[in-house]
Amino acid sequence: MRRRNFGRLMLAVIMAGALTIGVTSGLALPGGLAGTNMQASGFAPCTWNSPGPPPVSSCPVAQRTAVVEATCDPAGESTLAITRSGFVFGAYNGTYEETLTATLGPQTGPPAPAFQPFAWSGVQAGTVGFKTGLIRSLVASFTITAYDGTVIAGEKTLADDLANTGVCVKVDGDVPPSAVFTQPAYGYFYLLNAQVLRYTATITPPGGPALPVSGDAEAYLGNSFGLCCDGATSITDTVGTVISSQGHLAQGFGTIHSAVGTTTATATPTGVDVEVSPAPGLQLMFDNVTAEGETSVTALQSIPPLPAGFQVGDPPMFYEISTTASFSGGVRVCAPYGSVPAGTTPRLLHYADAAWVDITTDFDPDTRIVCGSTTSLSPFAAVFAASEPAYKDECENGGWKTFAAPAFKNQGDCVSFVQAKPKQP
């Protein structure tokens, strides 16, 4: 029996699209929005006086406001949408309005530890014991109206990093393993820890031209709301109940959190068919772990160049996975992917002997997870490949290797396939 150390594994999760990196415009404002902070609170529609979560206040259901929409599916995809207004301070002082939408993937990752992202805010980020999901998409459109008349309109979007995680949980009388719901409740709990964002905006001073800026940003959104503590029997109950709600939305421009690029890890015990999830959406199954250890994952910025015919996504997701455990046999590696471009299929590539090899075994379009099997460990990439060639020249220079369905044995097979295709009308 062969024995291997899972010494160094790099995984690149590449979503559909092109890589874009925000760079602050140097036209007139090289600092962009750096030092600008935004905060909103008071999500509850009436006063909250409880000493701890879940906050309970005597607030009639009729007074609830539709500032939040959430559909929670910890095993699948969750969606969040919120419209908020709040205050701006720092480099600019004033008020803001923002509409934020986001989606989360399966919440299989380890809980995020608590930390305070901003010195100027008392907000504590983390996931209070809940497992995490990777933030798959996030768009936040905002308008800042400064007290001096300056108007700033822009958008924040997701950038790749393991720090971008979230939680969305529906409770219906049960008590999840968390400090949030300490007694039976009916409602939702969600968090977004978006520690690596990019923003683009225009700053229009009074009487002046609109100046474009862009750069880094981070945002932290959290809320718990629902029906609690009065004998309600279902989340659909709307009469004679008590609402509990608390929320925060704290954001900063010009920075990303210091946790970016750090490692998250999970224990890897001995046994057969040992499955671990060191980060949201990333799952590994070892055939046989012969000595226990710890499997960890770290976000990276680059991987070896991909061969022609494979599409890099937006945002690209690059990971390095390692373990201190010893194992024999193979490893099944599964990773999330983004929206599939038209005419393409997700593929998992393995970098071995200075070349990329397609090791794809299966993928799930519902969970957007692609898997592969390997007996050696080195860089991996979840990419998109064209499903079939349309022209003979796509078969040349190794291009025949890049097609997902059908897969060709050589260039001649690819050329024959194209010639046999019916001509387009």
Side-chain angles (χ1 to χ4, degrees):
M1 178 180 293
R2 289 181 296 177
R3 184 181 181 91
R4 301 179 188 276
N5 284 327
F6 193 25
R8 184 174 184 274
L9 167 63
M10 186 187 301
L11 178 66
V13 181
I14 317 270
M15 292 187 180
L19 173 63
T20 58
I21 302 294
V23 179
T24 299
S25 170
L27 293 178
L29 295 172
L33 295 178
T36 301
N37 305 310
M38 305 198 310
Q39 185 159 356
S41 58
F43 283 44
C46 50
T47 304
W48 168 56
N49 295 312
S50 176
V56 179
S57 59
S58 298
C59 179
V61 174
Q63 292 187 26
R64 282 183 287 178
T65 56
V67 296
V68 177
E69 295 181 1
T71 59
C72 296
D73 181 4
E77 183 174 88
S78 301
T79 63
L80 300 172
I82 184 168
T83 300
R84 292 301 296 165
S85 60
F87 294 96
V88 181
F89 52 93
Y92 291 90
N93 297 300
T95 60
Y96 81 92
E97 294 184 355
E98 181 173 45
T99 298
L100 182 152
T101 60
T103 60
L104 296 178
Q107 295 164 48
T108 59
F115 64 95
Q116 183 169 331
F118 301 119
W120 47 264
S121 172
V123 166
Q124 290 287 316
T127 60
V128 290
F130 285 116
K131 288 187 175 182
T132 52
L134 196 68
I135 301 178
R136 284 178 166 172
S137 66
L138 184 149
V139 177
S141 300
F142 62 91
T143 300
I144 297 172
T145 303
Y147 295 135
D148 66 359
T150 299
V151 176
I152 304 169
E155 183 177 87
K156 295 187 291 292
T157 55
L158 193 66
D160 167 52
D161 194 90
L162 288 176
N164 290 330
T165 61
V167 170
C168 189
V169 178
K170 173 184 175 182
V171 290
D172 199 355
D174 51 354
V175 182
S178 169
V180 174
F181 293 100
T182 58
Q183 55 187 302
Y186 305 82
Y188 294 93
F189 173 80
Y190 64 86
L191 286 166
L192 291 180
N193 294 327
Q195 301 178 192
V196 191
L197 301 176
R198 304 283 186 251
Y199 77 85
T200 57
T202 56
I203 302 177
T204 306
L211 306 173
V213 293
S214 59
D216 297 324
E218 51 185 312
Y220 302 87
L221 168 66
N223 200 20
S224 61
F225 63 102
L227 316 177
C228 180
C229 318
D230 68 339
T233 58
S234 172
I235 197 172
T236 60
D237 288 350
T238 57
V239 179
T241 56
V242 175
I243 187 172
S244 61
S245 183
Q246 177 192 15
H248 67 262
L249 179 53
Q251 307 180 75
F253 291 91
T255 63
I256 53 179
H257 194 262
S258 58
V260 171
T262 58
T263 299
T264 62
T266 188
T268 305
T270 59
V272 177
D273 294 337
V274 175
E275 186 172 351
V276 296
S277 180
L282 298 176
Q283 294 179 314
L284 294 89
M285 179 178 286
F286 299 92
D287 283 351
N288 184 27
V289 178
T290 56
E292 67 179 11
E294 189 175 73
T295 300
S296 59
V297 58
T298 303
L300 299 176
Q301 298 300 312
S302 63
I303 57 171
L306 295 170
F310 292 95
Q311 297 186 29
V312 176
D314 182 15
M317 297 185 187
F318 303 156
Y319 303 128
E320 180 173 345
I321 300 175
S322 62
T323 191
T324 57
S326 297
F327 71 94
S328 60
V331 183
R332 175 176 167 85
V333 180
C334 296
Y337 64 87
S339 300
V340 181
T344 67
T345 302
R347 312 300 294 173
L348 187 64
L349 305 186
H350 177 214
Y351 194 72
D353 298 326
W356 289 100
V357 180
D358 190 342
I359 62 165
T360 308
T361 57
D362 58 282
F363 66 92
D364 187 334
D366 293 326
T367 60
R368 292 194 294 184
I369 298 291
V370 61
C371 300
S373 181
T374 180
T375 57
S376 64
L377 299 167
S378 57
F380 288 78
V383 298
F384 297 106
S387 58
E388 62 181 46
Y391 307 99
K392 289 193 297 182
D393 58 4
E394 295 180 79
C395 302
E396 299 173 357
N397 301 317
W400 59 272
K401 302 177 183 178
T402 67
F403 296 103
F408 301 112
K409 295 181 179 179
N410 52 50
Q411 181 173 327
D413 281 353
C414 179
V415 171
S416 297
F417 175 84
V418 174
Q419 291 175 336
K421 288 180 65 177
K423 293 183 178 180
Q424 296 293 329

